[in-house]
Amino acid sequence: MKLRHLGLVCACVRLVSGHRLEKPAPLPLATRIVTQFPNPTWIENIAVRSNGDLLITELLPKPILYTIVNPASSAPQVRLLRDFSAEEPPVEGLTGIAEASHDVFVFVGGSTTNLSFHAWSVNFTSAARNPSTTTGPIIKKIAELKDVKLPNGVATLPGFPSSVLIADSLAGLAWRLDILTGKSIVAAQTLEMGAPSNETDPSKRVGINGIKVHDGFLYFSNSNSRSIYRVKIRKDGTRDPSAHAQLVGRLPENVSFLDDFAVTSHGGKGATVFGTTSSDNRLWAFVQGKSPVVVAGELDKLTLAGSTAASFGRGKRDRDILYVVTSGGVGKPLNGSLTEGGKVTAVDLRTFCPSIMIG
């Protein structure tokens, strides 16, 4: 899935006395609530179909896969695709999701109580449907993730439609899953993907979290170090043996956690990463060599309370929209007590320019 959004619109340049001067975009950026769920609901991840509809995974209180139809409209529709509560072995929550091939998505989840994790596919293509029995997508279990300690982010692997990459937050590595055979191999492992194993705080034991493949690099967030890295990979998703992880950016020490992210090019001059921060309740922008900046949300506001993941719109009406999903602050209530139902929020990127970020 090729992303090409940020370089298309950069409305922060003005003319003064014949000279082009950059004018910082007003921050925080404008936001709009697309839909909101009952309290408590923890929405964990998001993917966008080619027709513009959204797919979102629920972590708590139930393991549910939803679709949101026409999210750019004034009246989007939320449809439950499957509740996995009755699955055997038990499934407590769903985590990452990504598009493996056109309209075929892979998502992961399981139980941290029973240490049992699996991967499923949801197939919207017409070839996968039997009109006499169903009109919805085909959802099926495709693999038991026997060696995975904690599956989290899932990434599309361009050119390899039968495989996806899966972040293992506790093992500190990325797996490549063959969705046809259900077999997994270690695709990439670096020191920068790991986290201390002797931490008593579970949140500080989460290393690699979100992952994306972009322009030949595997981008990944490390929740414990609050950092975005990238490492060169081969076409099959495995790390180039000669490549070392490069730091894209690190959040200030007063931010405690970095969750999933979205990445896109900006005018052929590199990439911009938009990172969610869970209990920090904000969306940050990263450009390599520059200091990260807050672009949406506020620490003590519900705007992006418990931001967990983000994905760009793919339609004509929302190509400059970043959809951000949230937990509603369930993990860390605002001001110690305030929470809300998880939601999908549209962040308007039309006035954001990465070039105004300070190095």
PDB file of all heavy atoms in Angstrom, residues 28 54 68 129 136-137 150 179 187-188 207 230 256 263 279 289 292 304 307 313 325 348:
ATOM      1  N   PRO A  28      -2.552  23.001  17.962  1.00  0.00           N
ATOM      2  CA  PRO A  28      -2.752  21.688  17.353  1.00  0.00           C
ATOM      3  C   PRO A  28      -3.646  21.750  16.113  1.00  0.00           C
ATOM      4  O   PRO A  28      -4.422  22.680  15.941  1.00  0.00           O
ATOM      5  CB  PRO A  28      -3.419  20.886  18.466  1.00  0.00           C
ATOM      6  CG  PRO A  28      -4.145  21.911  19.285  1.00  0.00           C
ATOM      7  CD  PRO A  28      -3.271  23.131  19.253  1.00  0.00           C
ATOM      8  N   LEU A  54     -12.867   1.906   6.999  1.00  0.00           N
ATOM      9  CA  LEU A  54     -11.870   1.616   8.019  1.00  0.00           C
ATOM     10  C   LEU A  54     -12.095   0.234   8.625  1.00  0.00           C
ATOM     11  O   LEU A  54     -13.227  -0.244   8.705  1.00  0.00           O
ATOM     12  CB  LEU A  54     -11.944   2.652   9.149  1.00  0.00           C
ATOM     13  CG  LEU A  54     -11.945   4.130   8.762  1.00  0.00           C
ATOM     14  CD1 LEU A  54     -11.989   4.995  10.026  1.00  0.00           C
ATOM     15  CD2 LEU A  54     -10.744   4.472   7.912  1.00  0.00           C
ATOM     16  N   ILE A  68     -15.842   0.535   9.634  1.00  0.00           N
ATOM     17  CA  ILE A  68     -16.541   1.817   9.641  1.00  0.00           C
ATOM     18  C   ILE A  68     -16.699   2.236   8.191  1.00  0.00           C
ATOM     19  O   ILE A  68     -15.711   2.479   7.481  1.00  0.00           O
ATOM     20  CB  ILE A  68     -15.787   2.878  10.441  1.00  0.00           C
ATOM     21  CG1 ILE A  68     -15.633   2.412  11.895  1.00  0.00           C
ATOM     22  CG2 ILE A  68     -16.513   4.215  10.384  1.00  0.00           C
ATOM     23  CD1 ILE A  68     -14.800   3.310  12.746  1.00  0.00           C
ATOM     24  N   ARG A 129     -15.909 -14.849  -1.788  1.00  0.00           N
ATOM     25  CA  ARG A 129     -17.280 -14.937  -1.292  1.00  0.00           C
ATOM     26  C   ARG A 129     -18.100 -15.972  -2.051  1.00  0.00           C
ATOM     27  O   ARG A 129     -17.912 -16.192  -3.245  1.00  0.00           O
ATOM     28  CB  ARG A 129     -17.971 -13.581  -1.409  1.00  0.00           C
ATOM     29  CG  ARG A 129     -17.263 -12.464  -0.657  1.00  0.00           C
ATOM     30  CD  ARG A 129     -17.999 -11.163  -0.849  1.00  0.00           C
ATOM     31  NE  ARG A 129     -17.238 -10.039  -0.330  1.00  0.00           N
ATOM     32  CZ  ARG A 129     -17.587  -8.771  -0.494  1.00  0.00           C
ATOM     33  NH1 ARG A 129     -18.682  -8.487  -1.180  1.00  0.00           N
ATOM     34  NH2 ARG A 129     -16.859  -7.810  -0.003  1.00  0.00           N
ATOM     35  N   GLY A 136     -20.891 -11.028   3.358  1.00  0.00           N
ATOM     36  CA  GLY A 136     -19.820 -10.342   4.073  1.00  0.00           C
ATOM     37  C   GLY A 136     -18.464 -10.911   3.739  1.00  0.00           C
ATOM     38  O   GLY A 136     -18.332 -11.849   2.946  1.00  0.00           O
ATOM     39  N   PRO A 137     -17.418 -10.353   4.329  1.00  0.00           N
ATOM     40  CA  PRO A 137     -16.075 -10.865   4.071  1.00  0.00           C
ATOM     41  C   PRO A 137     -15.869 -12.232   4.709  1.00  0.00           C
ATOM     42  O   PRO A 137     -16.569 -12.618   5.644  1.00  0.00           O
ATOM     43  CB  PRO A 137     -15.183  -9.810   4.726  1.00  0.00           C
ATOM     44  CG  PRO A 137     -16.029  -9.272   5.847  1.00  0.00           C
ATOM     45  CD  PRO A 137     -17.423  -9.247   5.305  1.00  0.00           C
ATOM     46  N   LEU A 150       4.505 -11.725  22.314  1.00  0.00           N
ATOM     47  CA  LEU A 150       3.427 -10.733  22.385  1.00  0.00           C
ATOM     48  C   LEU A 150       3.288 -10.043  21.031  1.00  0.00           C
ATOM     49  O   LEU A 150       3.995  -9.085  20.728  1.00  0.00           O
ATOM     50  CB  LEU A 150       3.708  -9.677  23.464  1.00  0.00           C
ATOM     51  CG  LEU A 150       2.581  -8.646  23.669  1.00  0.00           C
ATOM     52  CD1 LEU A 150       1.290  -9.324  24.127  1.00  0.00           C
ATOM     53  CD2 LEU A 150       3.003  -7.572  24.665  1.00  0.00           C
ATOM     54  N   ILE A 179       1.185 -16.198   5.139  1.00  0.00           N
ATOM     55  CA  ILE A 179      -0.236 -16.384   5.441  1.00  0.00           C
ATOM     56  C   ILE A 179      -0.831 -17.583   4.711  1.00  0.00           C
ATOM     57  O   ILE A 179      -1.957 -17.986   4.996  1.00  0.00           O
ATOM     58  CB  ILE A 179      -1.048 -15.104   5.130  1.00  0.00           C
ATOM     59  CG1 ILE A 179      -1.021 -14.780   3.648  1.00  0.00           C
ATOM     60  CG2 ILE A 179      -0.504 -13.934   5.928  1.00  0.00           C
ATOM     61  CD1 ILE A 179      -1.856 -13.563   3.280  1.00  0.00           C
ATOM     62  N   ALA A 187      12.370 -12.059  10.891  1.00  0.00           N
ATOM     63  CA  ALA A 187      12.731 -11.204   9.759  1.00  0.00           C
ATOM     64  C   ALA A 187      13.793 -10.189  10.142  1.00  0.00           C
ATOM     65  O   ALA A 187      14.698  -9.893   9.357  1.00  0.00           O
ATOM     66  CB  ALA A 187      11.503 -10.485   9.223  1.00  0.00           C
ATOM     67  N   ALA A 188      13.691  -9.629  11.344  1.00  0.00           N
ATOM     68  CA  ALA A 188      14.636  -8.593  11.766  1.00  0.00           C
ATOM     69  C   ALA A 188      14.700  -8.551  13.280  1.00  0.00           C
ATOM     70  O   ALA A 188      13.676  -8.675  13.961  1.00  0.00           O
ATOM     71  CB  ALA A 188      14.220  -7.235  11.220  1.00  0.00           C
ATOM     72  N   GLY A 207       9.044  -3.327  23.984  1.00  0.00           N
ATOM     73  CA  GLY A 207      10.036  -2.745  23.094  1.00  0.00           C
ATOM     74  C   GLY A 207       9.390  -2.349  21.789  1.00  0.00           C
ATOM     75  O   GLY A 207       8.580  -1.432  21.731  1.00  0.00           O
ATOM     76  N   ARG A 230      14.502   3.226  12.019  1.00  0.00           N
ATOM     77  CA  ARG A 230      14.294   2.547  10.755  1.00  0.00           C
ATOM     78  C   ARG A 230      15.543   1.716  10.445  1.00  0.00           C
ATOM     79  O   ARG A 230      16.658   2.072  10.844  1.00  0.00           O
ATOM     80  CB  ARG A 230      14.004   3.525   9.629  1.00  0.00           C
ATOM     81  CG  ARG A 230      15.173   4.412   9.224  1.00  0.00           C
ATOM     82  CD  ARG A 230      14.817   5.279   8.035  1.00  0.00           C
ATOM     83  NE  ARG A 230      16.008   5.935   7.461  1.00  0.00           N
ATOM     84  CZ  ARG A 230      16.027   6.610   6.331  1.00  0.00           C
ATOM     85  NH1 ARG A 230      14.900   6.752   5.629  1.00  0.00           N
ATOM     86  NH2 ARG A 230      17.141   7.154   5.886  1.00  0.00           N
ATOM     87  N   SER A 256       5.972   9.173  28.559  1.00  0.00           N
ATOM     88  CA  SER A 256       6.304   7.862  29.118  1.00  0.00           C
ATOM     89  C   SER A 256       6.185   6.705  28.131  1.00  0.00           C
ATOM     90  O   SER A 256       6.721   5.623  28.389  1.00  0.00           O
ATOM     91  CB  SER A 256       5.403   7.566  30.326  1.00  0.00           C
ATOM     92  OG  SER A 256       4.035   7.533  29.937  1.00  0.00           O
ATOM     93  N   VAL A 263       3.415   6.491   8.615  1.00  0.00           N
ATOM     94  CA  VAL A 263       4.571   7.123   7.977  1.00  0.00           C
ATOM     95  C   VAL A 263       4.249   7.447   6.528  1.00  0.00           C
ATOM     96  O   VAL A 263       3.552   6.687   5.846  1.00  0.00           O
ATOM     97  CB  VAL A 263       5.821   6.222   8.079  1.00  0.00           C
ATOM     98  CG1 VAL A 263       5.594   4.866   7.427  1.00  0.00           C
ATOM     99  CG2 VAL A 263       7.049   6.899   7.455  1.00  0.00           C
ATOM    100  N   SER A 279      -1.035   7.004  26.907  1.00  0.00           N
ATOM    101  CA  SER A 279      -1.427   7.834  28.046  1.00  0.00           C
ATOM    102  C   SER A 279      -0.946   9.278  27.954  1.00  0.00           C
ATOM    103  O   SER A 279      -1.346  10.125  28.749  1.00  0.00           O
ATOM    104  CB  SER A 279      -0.910   7.215  29.341  1.00  0.00           C
ATOM    105  OG  SER A 279       0.493   7.061  29.314  1.00  0.00           O
ATOM    106  N   GLY A 289      16.350  13.944  11.981  1.00  0.00           N
ATOM    107  CA  GLY A 289      17.237  15.090  12.127  1.00  0.00           C
ATOM    108  C   GLY A 289      16.581  16.301  12.743  1.00  0.00           C
ATOM    109  O   GLY A 289      17.242  17.326  12.954  1.00  0.00           O
ATOM    110  N   PRO A 292      10.941  16.201  17.463  1.00  0.00           N
ATOM    111  CA  PRO A 292       9.513  15.892  17.332  1.00  0.00           C
ATOM    112  C   PRO A 292       8.647  17.044  17.852  1.00  0.00           C
ATOM    113  O   PRO A 292       9.046  17.764  18.776  1.00  0.00           O
ATOM    114  CB  PRO A 292       9.338  14.633  18.193  1.00  0.00           C
ATOM    115  CG  PRO A 292      10.707  14.071  18.347  1.00  0.00           C
ATOM    116  CD  PRO A 292      11.636  15.232  18.333  1.00  0.00           C
ATOM    117  N   LEU A 304      -7.552  13.255  22.162  1.00  0.00           N
ATOM    118  CA  LEU A 304      -6.938  11.996  21.706  1.00  0.00           C
ATOM    119  C   LEU A 304      -6.563  11.162  22.929  1.00  0.00           C
ATOM    120  O   LEU A 304      -5.441  10.640  23.023  1.00  0.00           O
ATOM    121  CB  LEU A 304      -5.705  12.272  20.839  1.00  0.00           C
ATOM    122  CG  LEU A 304      -5.936  12.948  19.491  1.00  0.00           C
ATOM    123  CD1 LEU A 304      -4.603  13.205  18.780  1.00  0.00           C
ATOM    124  CD2 LEU A 304      -6.854  12.121  18.600  1.00  0.00           C
ATOM    125  N   SER A 307      -4.316   7.700  22.754  1.00  0.00           N
ATOM    126  CA  SER A 307      -4.116   7.456  21.315  1.00  0.00           C
ATOM    127  C   SER A 307      -3.278   6.201  21.114  1.00  0.00           C
ATOM    128  O   SER A 307      -2.237   6.028  21.737  1.00  0.00           O
ATOM    129  CB  SER A 307      -3.438   8.661  20.661  1.00  0.00           C
ATOM    130  OG  SER A 307      -2.165   8.914  21.239  1.00  0.00           O
ATOM    131  N   GLY A 313      -6.218   8.316   5.378  1.00  0.00           N
ATOM    132  CA  GLY A 313      -7.352   8.097   4.499  1.00  0.00           C
ATOM    133  C   GLY A 313      -6.868   7.793   3.092  1.00  0.00           C
ATOM    134  O   GLY A 313      -5.778   8.204   2.690  1.00  0.00           O
ATOM    135  N   VAL A 325      -7.006   6.239  16.328  1.00  0.00           N
ATOM    136  CA  VAL A 325      -7.893   5.506  17.234  1.00  0.00           C
ATOM    137  C   VAL A 325      -7.362   5.624  18.654  1.00  0.00           C
ATOM    138  O   VAL A 325      -6.166   5.817  18.886  1.00  0.00           O
ATOM    139  CB  VAL A 325      -8.036   4.022  16.821  1.00  0.00           C
ATOM    140  CG1 VAL A 325      -8.798   3.911  15.520  1.00  0.00           C
ATOM    141  CG2 VAL A 325      -6.684   3.331  16.704  1.00  0.00           C
ATOM    142  N   ASP A 348      -6.846  16.662  10.605  1.00  0.00           N
ATOM    143  CA  ASP A 348      -6.697  17.336   9.312  1.00  0.00           C
ATOM    144  C   ASP A 348      -5.240  17.783   9.136  1.00  0.00           C
ATOM    145  O   ASP A 348      -4.749  18.645   9.864  1.00  0.00           O
ATOM    146  CB  ASP A 348      -7.628  18.542   9.270  1.00  0.00           C
ATOM    147  CG  ASP A 348      -7.749  19.148   7.880  1.00  0.00           C
ATOM    148  OD1 ASP A 348      -6.829  18.937   7.053  1.00  0.00           O
ATOM    149  OD2 ASP A 348      -8.746  19.842   7.615  1.00  0.00           O
TER     150      ASP A 348
END
